[in-house]
Amino acid sequence: MVSGNLMTLAFIDPATLPFVGAFIFVFAVVFGGLTYTGVLGGNKNVNVLISIAFAIFAVLYEPFVASLQAYIPFAAVVMVIAFFILFLKKVSATGSGERSDAWPALALLAFAMILLGAFWDKIGFSMPGISSENMLWLIGIAIIALIFWVAYKTPPAPR
């Protein structure tokens, strides 16, 4: 059905969307964490069951759902940054788990910082009490610190 400029689907009840969103978010975070860490030996079936249990308990607690709806944009940004850092760690690691070359990670971080600066006016992310421009500065400083940290932690290449 189309009403004005908004398209609504008849089978989605707007009252259940916060609960569905909280379920999917908690499921994804728990499943991603369990899969990445390999705590349970990498058994994906067990990871799915544990993730579903956590998501169900999270959805049953209504104050959690309400607070997650208020902070889900910030939580999503934090999760994207965390998974980006994990991706950088995987990209810059060799088979033995020790990094031998920092250039891929440093190039990705520099490219991410350039893209963030170029598209920041379209993103316009801000937190209560921090302006959008100050948030860009904080994220930029964090990326620069991460660049220095990656360069510092990478052992020199053998000559």
Side-chain angles (χ1 to χ4, degrees):
M1 297 183 172
V2 178
S3 90
N5 292 336
L6 297 175
M7 181 152 87
T8 59
L9 300 174
F11 64 90
I12 297 178
D13 182 18
T16 62
L17 282 179
F19 296 98
V20 172
F23 180 87
I24 292 172
F25 185 78
V26 170
F27 175 82
V29 168
V30 173
F31 182 75
L34 289 174
T35 302
Y36 180 77
T37 59
V39 172
L40 302 171
N43 190 344
K44 291 197 179 198
N45 294 335
V46 174
N47 291 349
V48 167
L49 289 175
I50 291 173
S51 301
I52 288 173
F54 269 95
I56 288 173
F57 284 123
V59 168
L60 291 176
Y61 188 58
E62 196 167 338
F64 174 76
V65 173
S67 63
L68 189 61
Q69 280 302 114
Y71 294 110
I72 204 157
F74 178 70
V77 168
V78 168
M79 294 309 300
V80 166
I81 290 170
F83 284 116
F84 182 71
I85 290 170
L86 293 176
F87 171 73
L88 286 177
K89 183 179 173 187
K90 288 279 189 187
V91 165
S92 63
T94 60
S96 64
E98 187 174 319
R99 283 176 273 156
S100 62
D101 188 14
W103 283 110
L106 296 176
L108 282 172
L109 283 170
F111 186 66
M113 191 165 80
I114 290 168
L115 286 177
L116 188 66
F119 294 111
W120 187 255
D121 58 338
K122 297 196 182 354
I123 297 170
F125 178 73
S126 65
M127 291 177 50
I130 301 175
S131 70
S132 179
E133 184 178 325
N134 288 342
M135 184 60 96
L136 177 62
W137 274 100
L138 288 174
I139 292 171
I141 291 169
I143 290 174
I144 297 258
L146 191 58
I147 287 173
F148 281 117
W149 183 77
V150 167
Y152 175 75
K153 286 295 190 179
T154 303
R159 295 182 186 237

